[in-house]
Amino acid sequence: MAWKTKLIAGVAAAALTWPAMAAADEATDARIRALEEQLALLQGQIADLKQSTTNNIAAVRSDATTTTVSLANGRPTIATSDGRFTASFRGVFQLDAAHYDQRAPGPLGTDFRRGSFGDAVENDRARDLNDGANFRRARIGIEGKAFGDFEYNFLYDFGGSGNEEAGKISAAWVQYGGLPFANAKIRIGAFSPPGGLEEAVSTNGSLFAERASPSELVRGIASGDGRTAVAFLANGDNWAATAAITGNIIGVQTFDEQTAFVGRLSFVPFRRDDSLIHLGVNTSIVINPAASGPDVAGTAVTAIRLRDRPEIRVDGARLVDTGNIDADGLTAIGAEFGAQWKNFYLQSEYFDIDVDRKGALGDPDFAGWYAQAGWTLTGEARRYSNATFDAPRPAKPFDLKTGGWGAWELGLRYSKLDLNYLAGAPGTAAVAGAIRGGEQEIFTLGLNWYVNNVLRFQAAYQDVSVDRLSPGGTAFVTGSTPPAGSQVGQDLTIYSLRTQYAF
C-alpha cells in the first residue's frame, strides 16, 4: 500500500505545480511572439528602405535621360532634362519679288549698259534686268548641343541669287565652349566668321532684304556662307572679339586654296536700359590668294576680283566689277558705329580695301561706306545681341481676335561702293594699271511688317546710280565692246517685296 501512497502524493504534487509551469510556458511563448513581430517589422522596414533606394536611383536616372519636346516660336526642339543634349530644327524661306524700272533695252552696239567683265549673259541682262520672283534662301537644318560643352550646326540652302540652286552647304560646324574664360569658344567647319556689324546679323533679322553693298562685297572676300574656317570667339558684357583663319567656299575648287584672316573687335562704351552706343573695327586679310593654275616657278595667276549687285537679288547681274587683279594679297579694314535709343537705331560702316598687286603697276585702293537707320513705329526696340542689332519682336502679334497688328518698322539707307582706280575722265582711254570697276550709289527706303516672331514682309524702294567707264578693248567680250571711256553704267529704280518665314 506504500506505493499507492507515493503515487497519490506524486500526482498531487504534479497537480499543484502544473499551473506554475503552464504560466511559465505562456510567458515564454509571448516573448517569442513579440520577438517574431519585431523581426517581421524590421524586415518590412528594410524592404521599404530597399524599395525607396531603388526608386530614388531610378528617378535620378530617369531625370538624366528623359527628353522633352518643345515648339517655341514654331521651332521644334528636342532636349534632355539636364540640357546637355539638344537638337533644334531650323528652317527659313525668303521669297523675293522685284520690278526693275529702267530704260528700255537697245542693241548691244548702241546700248552700252554692261554687267561683269567677260560675261555675255550678264551684259545682255544689264540692259533688261529680270522682273519676277525667286527664292533668295530656302534653308533647312539642325543645331544644338552635345555633352554640354559642344555645339553644332548644319544648314543646307536651296535658294540663290537670280536663280535657285540645286542645294549647297550654308553652314556645317562644331564648336567647343568649355574654355574657362570670357565665354570663349573654338569653332571649326564651314561658316561665315563675323567680320563686321552688318555681316554679323542674321539675314532673318536684317533691316533690309540684303546687306549694304560695301558690307556684302567685303564679306565675300574672306567670309560668306559655306566658307571653310577655324575661329576663336569670345565676348563679355560689353565687348566681343573674333579671330579666324579661312579658306575657300565649299564647292569652289582652285589649284591652291585661298588663305585669309578675318578679325573683329567691338565694344559698348555707353549703355543704359533704353540706349547704347556700339563701336568696332574689323579686318579681312587675304594672305595667299587662290591660284588659278599650277605654280610653276612662281608664275601662277592669283586673281582677286571685287564685284557686286544692287541690293536685291531677283536678277543676278553685277553692275560694278574690277575684273581679275593678279595680286599677292589684299587688306580690308572697316570701322563700325551703332547707336540705339528706345525704338530708334542707327548704324554705319566704312571700309578701305587695298590690293597688293603683282608687278610694277600701282596697288589699287578701293572704298565703300553706308549709313542706315530704323524706327519701329509700334514702339518695340531692335535687340542688341552678339555685337549686332537684330530684328524687334512684336509686342502684339497679328491677331484679328485680339486686335494685335504686329510690329511695323521704317528703314532708310544710303550706300556707296567705289571700285575705281585711276579711272580717268569720260571719253578717254584708260591709263596703264587703271581699273574701271565703277561707282555704285543706292538710296533705299523700306517698310517692314513683323506679323509675329516667324513671319514678316519687307517692302523696299531703291534708287540706284552706277557710274562706270568702259576700259575699251575686249573687256566685255560681247562682240561689241563699248569704246574706251564710254558710260557703261546706268540709273534705275527697284521695287521689291520679300515674304519670309523663319523658325
Side-chain angles (χ1 to χ4, degrees), residues 141-154:
I142 187 171
E143 66 180 15
K145 291 182 179 180
F147 299 96
D149 291 331
F150 291 90
E151 297 176 75
Y152 62 90
N153 185 304
F154 180 78

Side-chain angles (χ1 to χ4, degrees), residues 10-32:
V11 171
L16 292 172
T17 60
W18 175 256
M21 293 176 62
D25 289 343
E26 290 177 0
T28 300
D29 291 343
R31 286 197 296 272
I32 292 172

Side-chain angles (χ1 to χ4, degrees), residues 5 126 148 152-153 175 187 190-191 229 236 263-264 296 335 380 397 424 476 489:
T5 304
Y152 62 90
N153 185 304
Q175 175 174 280
R187 181 183 299 179
F191 57 95
R264 184 184 183 218
V296 180
E380 296 89 343
F476 293 101

Side-chain angles (χ1 to χ4, degrees), residues 104-173:
L108 280 170
T110 56
D111 187 343
F112 294 153
R113 290 173 292 177
R114 295 293 187 266
S116 291
F117 289 119
D119 191 322
V121 174
E122 283 202 16
N123 290 307
D124 257 346
R125 300 193 70 86
R127 298 171 299 128
D128 188 11
L129 296 169
N130 178 46
D131 296 338
N134 79 300
F135 281 99
R136 177 69 174 93
R137 294 175 181 88
R139 293 176 172 175
I140 189 71
I142 187 171
E143 66 180 15
K145 291 182 179 180
F147 299 96
D149 291 331
F150 291 90
E151 297 176 75
Y152 62 90
N153 185 304
F154 180 78
L155 195 62
Y156 211 68
D157 188 9
F158 298 89
S161 297
N163 292 293
E164 292 81 5
E165 300 180 11
K168 61 182 182 295
I169 294 175
S170 177
W173 53 260

